[in-house]
Protein backbone atom coordinates (compact mmCIF):
# COMPACT_ATOMS: atom_id res chain seq x y z
CA UNK A 1 0.00 0.00 0.00
CA UNK A 2 1.29 3.42 -0.88
CA UNK A 3 1.84 6.09 1.73
CA UNK A 4 -1.20 7.77 3.14
CA UNK A 5 -1.76 11.30 1.85
CA UNK A 6 -2.49 14.29 3.99
CA UNK A 7 -6.04 14.41 2.71
CA UNK A 8 -6.59 10.77 3.54
CA UNK A 9 -5.22 11.44 6.98
CA UNK A 10 -7.62 14.34 7.44
CA UNK A 11 -10.76 12.98 5.84
CA UNK A 12 -9.82 9.57 4.74
CA UNK A 13 -12.78 7.35 5.12
CA UNK A 14 -11.82 5.58 8.31
CA UNK A 15 -14.59 3.44 9.68
CA UNK A 16 -14.71 5.49 12.86
CA UNK A 17 -15.20 8.79 11.06
CA UNK A 18 -17.84 7.50 8.70
CA UNK A 19 -19.61 5.68 11.49
CA UNK A 20 -19.77 8.88 13.49
CA UNK A 21 -21.20 10.75 10.52
CA UNK A 22 -23.81 8.09 9.90
CA UNK A 23 -24.99 8.03 13.48
CA UNK A 24 -25.28 11.81 13.74
CA UNK A 25 -28.87 13.09 13.85
CA UNK A 26 -30.02 13.49 10.26
CA UNK A 27 -32.00 16.62 11.08
CA UNK A 28 -29.22 18.28 13.06
CA UNK A 29 -28.15 21.86 12.61
CA UNK A 30 -25.33 20.91 10.28
CA UNK A 31 -27.68 19.36 7.75
CA UNK A 32 -29.76 22.47 7.22
CA UNK A 33 -27.01 24.08 5.20
CA UNK A 34 -25.41 20.92 3.90
CA UNK A 35 -28.52 19.36 2.45
CA UNK A 36 -28.11 15.70 1.58
CA UNK A 37 -27.90 13.02 4.24
CA UNK A 38 -24.74 10.94 4.52
CA UNK A 39 -24.34 7.68 2.65
CA UNK A 40 -21.85 4.84 2.59
CA UNK A 41 -22.09 1.83 0.31
CA UNK A 42 -20.15 -0.44 -1.98
CA UNK A 43 -21.06 0.24 -5.60
CA UNK A 44 -19.51 -1.81 -8.40
CA UNK A 45 -16.76 -2.86 -6.05
CA UNK A 46 -15.92 0.66 -4.88
CA UNK A 47 -16.57 2.18 -1.47
CA UNK A 48 -18.52 5.40 -2.03
CA UNK A 49 -19.26 7.75 0.84
CA UNK A 50 -20.79 11.17 1.24
CA UNK A 51 -21.16 13.32 4.30
CA UNK A 52 -21.49 16.85 5.56
CA UNK A 53 -18.20 18.58 6.21
CA UNK A 54 -19.09 21.98 7.65
CA UNK A 55 -16.07 24.23 7.79
CA UNK A 56 -13.91 21.74 5.92
CA UNK A 57 -14.32 23.36 2.53
CA UNK A 58 -10.97 25.12 2.32
CA UNK A 59 -10.17 23.02 -0.74
CA UNK A 60 -13.68 23.17 -2.17
CA UNK A 61 -13.15 26.64 -3.54
CA UNK A 62 -16.52 27.83 -2.39
CA UNK A 63 -18.28 24.52 -2.98
CA UNK A 64 -20.81 22.87 -0.69
CA UNK A 65 -20.14 21.76 2.86
CA UNK A 66 -20.55 18.21 1.70
CA UNK A 67 -17.85 15.81 0.60
CA UNK A 68 -17.89 12.65 -1.50
CA UNK A 69 -15.19 9.99 -1.34
CA UNK A 70 -14.44 7.03 -3.60
CA UNK A 71 -12.27 4.46 -1.85
CA UNK A 72 -11.33 7.18 0.62
CA UNK A 73 -10.25 9.73 -2.00
CA UNK A 74 -12.19 12.91 -2.40
CA UNK A 75 -14.25 13.54 -5.53
CA UNK A 76 -14.60 17.26 -6.30
CA UNK A 77 -18.31 18.05 -6.43
CA UNK A 78 -20.47 21.12 -6.82
CA UNK A 79 -24.15 21.91 -6.30
CA UNK A 80 -25.99 23.88 -8.99
CA UNK A 81 -28.44 26.70 -8.40
CA UNK A 82 -31.38 24.35 -9.06
CA UNK A 83 -30.17 21.87 -6.43
CA UNK A 84 -28.71 19.34 -8.88
CA UNK A 85 -25.09 18.21 -8.63
CA UNK A 86 -22.04 17.86 -10.87
CA UNK A 87 -18.58 16.49 -10.22
CA UNK A 88 -15.28 17.13 -11.90
CA UNK A 89 -15.74 13.74 -13.63
CA UNK A 90 -19.29 14.43 -14.84
CA UNK A 91 -19.16 18.16 -15.12
CA UNK A 92 -21.66 18.82 -17.89
CA UNK A 93 -24.40 16.41 -16.82
CA UNK A 94 -26.80 17.09 -13.95
CA UNK A 95 -27.28 14.52 -11.20
CA UNK A 96 -30.03 14.50 -8.59
CA UNK A 97 -27.90 13.67 -5.55
CA UNK A 98 -24.29 13.22 -4.43
CA UNK A 99 -24.90 9.47 -4.34
CA UNK A 100 -25.97 9.47 -8.01
CA UNK A 101 -22.88 11.55 -8.74
CA UNK A 102 -20.60 9.11 -6.92
CA UNK A 103 -22.09 6.16 -8.80
CA UNK A 104 -21.66 7.95 -12.15
CA UNK A 105 -18.04 8.65 -11.25
CA UNK A 106 -17.45 4.98 -10.39
CA UNK A 107 -18.88 4.02 -13.78
CA UNK A 108 -16.51 6.41 -15.53
CA UNK A 109 -13.45 5.43 -13.50
CA UNK A 110 -13.72 1.73 -14.46
CA UNK A 111 -11.58 0.81 -11.48
CA UNK A 112 -9.09 3.70 -11.71
CA UNK A 113 -8.14 5.55 -8.53
CA UNK A 114 -8.93 9.23 -8.13
CA UNK A 115 -5.92 11.53 -8.23
CA UNK A 116 -5.44 13.92 -5.31
CA UNK A 117 -7.24 17.22 -5.78
CA UNK A 118 -4.96 20.02 -6.94
CA UNK B 1 -6.16 37.68 -41.41
CA UNK B 2 -6.92 34.30 -39.88
CA UNK B 3 -9.96 32.49 -41.19
CA UNK B 4 -11.56 29.83 -39.02
CA UNK B 5 -13.07 27.11 -41.19
CA UNK B 6 -15.65 24.38 -40.88
CA UNK B 7 -13.67 21.23 -40.09
CA UNK B 8 -15.65 19.32 -42.72
CA UNK B 9 -14.12 21.50 -45.46
CA UNK B 10 -10.46 21.26 -44.46
CA UNK B 11 -8.01 19.86 -46.99
CA UNK B 12 -5.85 16.88 -46.11
CA UNK B 13 -2.92 19.27 -45.74
CA UNK B 14 -4.83 21.62 -43.44
CA UNK B 15 -5.77 18.69 -41.21
CA UNK B 16 -2.17 17.51 -41.12
CA UNK B 17 -0.87 20.96 -40.21
CA UNK B 18 -3.45 21.42 -37.44
CA UNK B 19 -2.68 18.00 -35.96
CA UNK B 20 1.06 18.56 -36.15
CA UNK B 21 0.76 21.91 -34.38
CA UNK B 22 -1.28 20.26 -31.60
CA UNK B 23 1.33 17.53 -31.21
CA UNK B 24 4.12 20.10 -31.00
CA UNK B 25 2.29 22.09 -28.29
CA UNK B 26 1.75 18.84 -26.39
CA UNK B 27 5.42 17.89 -26.68
CA UNK B 28 6.55 21.27 -25.39
CA UNK B 29 4.24 21.19 -22.37
CA UNK B 30 2.31 24.28 -23.45
CA UNK B 31 -0.78 22.23 -24.28
CA UNK B 32 -1.16 20.86 -20.76
CA UNK B 33 -1.00 24.36 -19.31
CA UNK B 34 -4.28 25.06 -21.10
CA UNK B 35 -5.84 21.85 -19.73
CA UNK B 36 -4.75 22.80 -16.25
CA UNK B 37 -6.11 26.35 -16.52
CA UNK B 38 -9.49 25.10 -17.71
CA UNK B 39 -9.77 22.49 -14.97
CA UNK B 40 -8.89 25.07 -12.35
CA UNK B 41 -11.70 27.36 -13.47
CA UNK B 42 -14.20 24.47 -13.68
CA UNK B 43 -13.50 23.65 -10.04
CA UNK B 44 -13.60 27.25 -8.87
CA UNK B 45 -16.54 28.71 -10.77
CA UNK B 46 -19.56 28.32 -8.48
CA UNK B 47 -23.15 29.51 -8.76
CA UNK B 48 -23.05 31.43 -5.50
CA UNK B 49 -19.40 32.51 -5.52
CA UNK B 50 -16.94 34.04 -7.98
CA UNK B 51 -17.53 32.68 -11.45
CA UNK B 52 -15.64 33.62 -14.59
CA UNK B 53 -15.24 30.88 -17.18
CA UNK B 54 -18.43 28.89 -16.68
CA UNK B 55 -22.00 29.24 -15.40
CA UNK B 56 -21.78 33.00 -15.75
CA UNK B 57 -22.13 35.77 -18.36
CA UNK B 58 -18.40 35.71 -19.10
CA UNK B 59 -18.59 32.08 -20.29
CA UNK B 60 -18.55 33.35 -23.88
CA UNK B 61 -15.89 36.12 -23.75
CA UNK B 62 -13.71 33.96 -21.45
CA UNK B 63 -13.69 31.07 -23.91
CA UNK B 64 -13.19 33.46 -26.84
CA UNK B 65 -10.04 34.76 -25.13
CA UNK B 66 -8.97 31.23 -24.13
CA UNK B 67 -9.24 30.04 -27.75
CA UNK B 68 -7.42 33.12 -29.01
CA UNK B 69 -4.52 32.44 -26.65
CA UNK B 70 -4.47 28.81 -27.75
CA UNK B 71 -4.64 29.75 -31.43
CA UNK B 72 -1.68 32.09 -30.96
CA UNK B 73 0.31 29.19 -29.53
CA UNK B 74 -0.63 27.05 -32.53
CA UNK B 75 0.44 29.86 -34.83
CA UNK B 76 3.82 30.10 -33.14
CA UNK B 77 4.33 26.54 -34.37
CA UNK B 78 2.78 27.12 -37.80
CA UNK B 79 1.51 30.58 -38.72
CA UNK B 80 -0.99 29.21 -41.23
CA UNK B 81 -2.96 27.17 -38.67
CA UNK B 82 -6.31 28.33 -37.25
CA UNK B 83 -8.83 26.53 -35.02
CA UNK B 84 -11.50 24.82 -37.14
CA UNK B 85 -15.07 24.58 -35.90
CA UNK B 86 -17.26 21.49 -35.58
CA UNK B 87 -20.86 22.15 -36.55
CA UNK B 88 -22.31 19.25 -34.58
CA UNK B 89 -25.79 20.01 -35.96
CA UNK B 90 -24.52 18.87 -39.36
CA UNK B 91 -21.72 16.37 -38.59
CA UNK B 92 -23.64 14.28 -36.09
CA UNK B 93 -22.24 10.79 -36.50
CA UNK B 94 -19.27 8.89 -35.04
CA UNK B 95 -18.61 8.06 -38.71
CA UNK B 96 -18.02 11.73 -39.60
CA UNK B 97 -14.67 12.56 -41.20
CA UNK B 98 -13.90 14.51 -38.00
CA UNK B 99 -13.31 11.17 -36.27
CA UNK B 100 -11.16 9.59 -39.01
CA UNK B 101 -7.59 8.48 -38.37
CA UNK B 102 -6.17 11.38 -40.42
CA UNK B 103 -7.79 13.90 -38.09
CA UNK B 104 -8.99 13.43 -34.48
CA UNK B 105 -9.27 9.65 -34.48
CA UNK B 106 -12.31 7.56 -33.50
CA UNK B 107 -14.32 6.75 -30.42
CA UNK B 108 -12.78 4.68 -27.64
CA UNK B 109 -12.89 0.89 -27.45
CA UNK B 110 -15.67 -0.58 -25.36
CA UNK B 111 -13.52 -2.15 -22.65
CA UNK B 112 -11.83 0.96 -21.28
CA UNK B 113 -12.83 3.87 -23.52
CA UNK B 114 -9.31 4.15 -24.90
CA UNK B 115 -8.87 5.81 -28.30
CA UNK B 116 -6.77 3.23 -30.16
CA UNK B 117 -5.95 4.82 -33.53
CA UNK B 118 -5.31 8.25 -35.01
CA UNK B 119 -2.75 10.88 -33.99
CA UNK B 120 -3.90 11.07 -30.35
CA UNK B 121 -3.90 7.35 -29.54
CA UNK B 122 -1.77 6.52 -26.51
CA UNK B 123 0.37 4.02 -28.41
CA UNK B 124 1.75 6.76 -30.62
CA UNK B 125 3.57 8.08 -27.57
CA UNK B 126 2.57 11.59 -28.62
CA UNK B 127 -0.49 12.16 -26.45
CA UNK B 128 0.01 11.15 -22.82
CA UNK B 129 -2.71 12.43 -20.48
CA UNK B 130 -1.22 13.99 -17.38
CA UNK B 131 -3.91 16.44 -16.18
CA UNK B 132 -6.91 14.42 -15.09
CA UNK B 133 -9.07 13.07 -12.31
CA UNK B 134 -7.23 9.77 -12.25
CA UNK B 135 -4.01 8.27 -13.50
CA UNK B 136 -5.22 6.62 -16.69
CA UNK B 137 -2.68 7.98 -19.20
CA UNK B 138 -4.70 7.47 -22.40
CA UNK B 139 -7.28 9.63 -24.17
CA UNK B 140 -10.82 8.33 -23.71
CA UNK B 141 -14.06 8.84 -25.67
CA UNK B 142 -17.48 7.20 -25.91
CA UNK B 143 -19.10 8.98 -28.84
CA UNK B 144 -22.87 8.96 -28.59
CA UNK B 145 -22.99 6.17 -26.03
CA UNK B 146 -24.49 8.08 -23.10
CA UNK B 147 -28.03 8.19 -24.41
CA UNK B 148 -27.99 11.79 -25.65
CA UNK B 149 -28.23 13.07 -29.21
CA UNK B 150 -26.26 16.01 -30.55
CA UNK B 151 -28.35 19.21 -30.75
CA UNK B 152 -30.24 19.88 -33.95
CA UNK B 153 -30.20 23.08 -36.00
CA UNK B 154 -33.79 23.72 -34.90
CA UNK B 155 -32.69 23.56 -31.27
CA UNK B 156 -29.81 25.93 -32.02
CA UNK B 157 -32.20 28.33 -33.71
CA UNK B 158 -34.53 28.28 -30.72
CA UNK B 159 -31.66 29.48 -28.54
CA UNK B 160 -30.39 32.04 -31.07
CA UNK B 161 -33.88 33.55 -30.99
CA UNK B 162 -33.47 34.60 -27.34
CA UNK B 163 -32.92 38.34 -27.42
CA UNK B 164 -31.57 38.87 -23.91
CA UNK B 165 -27.89 37.99 -23.45
CA UNK B 166 -28.08 36.94 -19.82
CA UNK B 167 -30.20 37.53 -16.73
CA UNK B 168 -30.00 37.50 -12.94
CA UNK B 169 -28.95 35.51 -11.02
CA UNK B 170 -26.19 35.32 -13.68
CA UNK B 171 -25.47 31.63 -13.07
CA UNK B 172 -26.64 28.14 -14.01
CA UNK B 173 -30.17 29.10 -12.98
CA UNK B 174 -30.46 32.02 -15.42
CA UNK B 175 -32.85 32.46 -18.28
CA UNK B 176 -31.55 34.07 -21.50
CA UNK B 177 -29.24 33.28 -24.41
CA UNK B 178 -25.99 32.59 -22.55
CA UNK B 179 -27.30 29.96 -20.18
CA UNK B 180 -29.39 28.20 -22.80
CA UNK B 181 -26.36 28.08 -25.09
CA UNK B 182 -24.13 26.90 -22.24
CA UNK B 183 -26.79 24.30 -21.47
CA UNK B 184 -27.59 24.40 -17.78
CA UNK B 185 -31.16 25.25 -18.69
CA UNK B 186 -33.51 24.42 -21.55
CA UNK B 187 -32.66 22.33 -24.62
CA UNK B 188 -28.95 22.32 -23.62
CA UNK B 189 -26.47 22.92 -26.44
CA UNK B 190 -22.86 23.23 -25.22
CA UNK B 191 -23.02 20.91 -22.19
CA UNK B 192 -24.77 18.17 -24.13
CA UNK B 193 -22.00 18.02 -26.73
CA UNK B 194 -19.42 17.46 -23.99
CA UNK B 195 -21.57 14.58 -22.71
CA UNK B 196 -22.08 13.12 -26.21
CA UNK B 197 -18.31 12.90 -26.77
CA UNK B 198 -17.82 11.35 -23.33
CA UNK B 199 -14.49 10.31 -21.84
CA UNK B 200 -12.26 13.28 -21.06
CA UNK B 201 -14.67 15.69 -22.75
CA UNK B 202 -17.23 14.99 -20.00
CA UNK B 203 -14.77 16.06 -17.28
CA UNK B 204 -13.29 19.30 -16.03
CA UNK B 205 -10.12 18.43 -17.93
CA UNK B 206 -12.04 18.37 -21.22
CA UNK B 207 -9.30 20.15 -23.24
CA UNK B 208 -7.34 16.89 -23.04
CA UNK B 209 -9.39 15.97 -26.10
CA UNK B 210 -8.48 18.19 -29.08
CA UNK B 211 -12.14 18.24 -30.10
CA UNK B 212 -12.62 20.67 -27.20
CA UNK B 213 -11.23 23.46 -29.41
CA UNK B 214 -13.45 22.61 -32.38
CA UNK B 215 -16.53 22.43 -30.15
CA UNK B 216 -15.81 25.77 -28.50
CA UNK B 217 -14.96 27.34 -31.84
CA UNK B 218 -18.50 26.53 -32.98
CA UNK B 219 -19.95 27.88 -29.70
CA UNK B 220 -17.94 31.05 -30.37
CA UNK B 221 -19.37 31.20 -33.90
CA UNK B 222 -22.90 30.83 -32.51
CA UNK B 223 -22.25 33.85 -30.27
CA UNK B 224 -21.31 35.74 -33.43
CA UNK B 225 -24.51 34.57 -35.15
CA UNK B 226 -26.53 35.71 -32.14
CA UNK B 227 -24.89 39.15 -32.17
CA UNK B 228 -25.80 39.63 -35.81
CA UNK B 229 -29.36 38.46 -35.19
CA UNK B 230 -29.75 40.86 -32.24
CA UNK B 231 -27.71 43.99 -33.03
CA UNK B 232 -29.48 45.92 -30.29
CA UNK B 233 -28.71 43.37 -27.58
CA UNK B 234 -25.45 43.61 -25.69
CA UNK B 235 -23.44 41.80 -23.06
CA UNK B 236 -24.97 41.88 -19.61
CA UNK B 237 -24.46 42.83 -16.84
CA UNK B 238 -23.17 46.19 -17.97
CA UNK B 239 -22.09 47.30 -14.52
CA UNK B 240 -20.63 45.87 -11.35
CA UNK B 241 -22.40 42.80 -10.02
CA UNK B 242 -21.14 40.73 -7.10
CA UNK B 243 -19.10 37.64 -8.11
CA UNK B 244 -19.78 38.27 -11.81
CA UNK B 245 -17.67 39.84 -14.58
CA UNK B 246 -19.37 42.98 -15.86
CA UNK B 247 -18.86 44.40 -19.34
CA UNK B 248 -15.77 46.42 -18.38
CA UNK B 249 -14.36 44.21 -15.64
CA UNK B 250 -11.09 42.33 -16.26
CA UNK B 251 -11.28 38.56 -16.55
CA UNK B 252 -8.98 36.22 -14.69
CA UNK B 253 -6.46 34.75 -15.41
CA UNK B 254 -5.34 37.42 -17.89
CA UNK B 255 -6.57 40.47 -15.93
CA UNK B 256 -5.93 42.68 -18.97
CA UNK B 257 -8.99 41.67 -21.01
CA UNK B 258 -12.64 42.57 -20.40
CA UNK B 259 -15.78 41.16 -22.01
CA UNK B 260 -16.01 44.47 -23.91
CA UNK B 261 -12.63 43.69 -25.48
CA UNK B 262 -13.95 40.37 -26.77
CA UNK B 263 -17.26 41.44 -28.30
CA UNK B 264 -15.81 41.89 -31.78
CA UNK B 265 -13.71 38.98 -33.01
CA UNK B 266 -12.95 40.47 -36.42
CA UNK B 267 -9.67 42.16 -35.40
CA UNK B 268 -8.39 38.64 -34.64
CA UNK B 269 -10.10 36.25 -37.06
CA UNK B 270 -13.14 35.79 -39.26
CA UNK B 271 -15.33 32.79 -40.01
CA UNK B 272 -15.53 31.16 -43.41
CA UNK B 273 -19.30 31.66 -43.60
CA UNK B 274 -21.07 34.80 -42.48
Amino acid sequence: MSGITRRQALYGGTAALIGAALTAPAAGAASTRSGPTPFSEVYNGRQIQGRSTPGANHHHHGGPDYTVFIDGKELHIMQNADGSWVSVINHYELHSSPRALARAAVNDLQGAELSPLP
Amino acid sequence: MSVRKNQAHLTANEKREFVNALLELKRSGRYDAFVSTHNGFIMNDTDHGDRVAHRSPSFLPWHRKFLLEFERELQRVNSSVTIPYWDWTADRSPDSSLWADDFLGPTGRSTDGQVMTGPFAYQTGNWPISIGMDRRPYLRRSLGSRGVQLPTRAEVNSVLAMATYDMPPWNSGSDGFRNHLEGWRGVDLHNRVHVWVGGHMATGASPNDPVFWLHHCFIDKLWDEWQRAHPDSGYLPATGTANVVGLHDPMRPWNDTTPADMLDHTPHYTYDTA
Side-chain angles (χ1 to χ4, degrees):
Chain A
M1 185 179 157
S2 57
I4 192 166
T5 67
R6 180 174 159 275
R7 181 166 293 111
Q8 281 176 300
L10 283 172
Y11 306 114
T14 69
L17 272 176
I18 296 305
L22 282 171
T23 54
S31 69
T32 54
R33 187 167 168 227
S34 312
T37 49
F39 66 90
S40 180
E41 67 179 22
V42 175
Y43 174 77
N44 277 359
R46 311 291 295 269
Q47 181 76 35
I48 59 172
Q49 298 159 330
R51 60 189 168 89
S52 301
T53 47
N57 64 341
H58 54 276
H59 55 277
H60 282 258
H61 315 291
D65 287 351
Y66 192 90
T67 310
V68 166
F69 302 93
I70 298 175
D71 290 341
K73 300 200 169 163
E74 184 179 347
L75 174 69
H76 183 277
I77 64 169
M78 188 177 288
Q79 188 166 25
N80 299 313
D82 68 357
S84 63
W85 297 80
V86 294
S87 79
V88 76
I89 287 182
N90 293 89
H91 191 79
Y92 305 93
E93 195 173 19
L94 307 182
H95 291 76
S96 59
S97 69
R99 188 197 299 256
L101 204 53
R103 289 176 172 179
V106 166
N107 292 341
D108 179 85
L109 284 166
Q110 295 189 291
E113 266 189 39
L114 283 176
S115 296
L117 294 183
Chain B
M1 170 59 71
S2 293
V3 178
R4 292 184 177 177
K5 300 174 183 173
N6 187 323
Q7 62 80 24
H9 302 151
L10 296 185
T11 66
N13 190 55
E14 285 170 332
K15 291 180 187 180
R16 190 162 46 242
E17 290 192 325
F18 178 66
V19 166
N20 286 342
L22 289 170
L23 296 178
E24 173 54 23
L25 287 191
K26 182 72 169 177
R27 191 200 59 75
S28 71
R30 297 199 294 281
Y31 191 96
D32 282 351
F34 283 84
V35 183
S36 189
T37 294
H38 188 269
N39 193 43
F41 276 87
I42 279 273
M43 292 172 66
N44 279 280
D45 295 324
T46 59
D47 275 332
H48 302 294
D50 283 343
R51 46 198 186 275
V52 179
H54 306 92
R55 56 181 71 231
S56 62
S58 45
F59 168 69
L60 289 168
W62 191 93
H63 281 85
R64 177 166 281 175
K65 175 68 173 175
F66 192 57
L67 263 64
L68 259 179
E69 292 289 306
F70 185 75
E71 192 169 58
R72 282 178 188 142
E73 291 285 359
L74 291 172
Q75 290 172 350
R76 274 179 208 158
V77 177
N78 181 339
S79 60
S80 68
V81 170
T82 58
I83 301 176
Y85 62 88
W86 169 31
D87 178 352
W88 23 254
T89 70
D91 295 306
R92 323 175 41 80
S93 164
D95 298 325
S96 159
S97 62
L98 173 65
W99 309 110
D101 282 343
D102 67 344
F103 202 15
L104 301 190
T107 193
R109 63 181 176 185
S110 59
T111 50
D112 60 3
Q114 183 173 176
V115 173
M116 296 302 292
T117 58
F120 308 101
Y122 182 67
Q123 290 93 325
T124 63
N126 294 325
W127 204 258
I129 303 295
S130 56
I131 312 287
M133 314 312 133
D134 58 77
R135 295 196 172 83
R136 287 173 288 179
Y138 46 85
L139 178 64
R140 292 178 291 113
R141 287 181 191 135
S142 56
L143 302 183
S145 76
R146 292 194 182 207
V148 298
Q149 300 291 317
L150 289 169
T152 64
R153 188 67 215 187
E155 288 172 325
V156 166
N157 289 343
S158 74
V159 172
L160 291 178
M162 297 176 179
T164 304
Y165 177 77
D166 206 346
M167 298 185 199
W170 317 109
N171 62 19
S172 74
S174 291
D175 203 351
F177 168 69
R178 186 277 309 168
N179 197 36
H180 281 80
L181 178 63
E182 189 171 359
W184 301 110
R185 184 162 176 172
V187 296
D188 178 2
L189 301 179
H190 153 269
N191 282 353
R192 186 160 30 132
V193 175
H194 277 273
V195 174
W196 186 88
V197 174
H200 284 99
M201 268 290 274
T203 76
S206 45
N208 274 313
D209 191 329
V211 81
F212 172 92
W213 309 104
L214 285 77
H215 173 36
H216 271 279
C217 193
F218 188 56
I219 294 293
D220 185 84
K221 185 173 186 295
L222 292 179
W223 184 23
D224 178 55
E225 291 184 27
W226 178 86
Q227 287 176 308
R228 282 184 288 109
H230 304 279
D232 298 328
S233 298
Y235 179 94
L236 294 170
T239 55
T241 303
N243 298 324
V244 170
V245 181
L247 179 61
H248 297 292
D249 297 333
M251 295 185 287
R252 288 185 286 114
W254 310 288
N255 298 321
D256 62 356
T257 304
T258 68
D261 297 329
M262 289 289 105
L263 298 182
D264 179 10
H265 62 78
T266 58
H268 309 291
Y269 56 88
T270 58
Y271 283 108
D272 56 354
T273 56

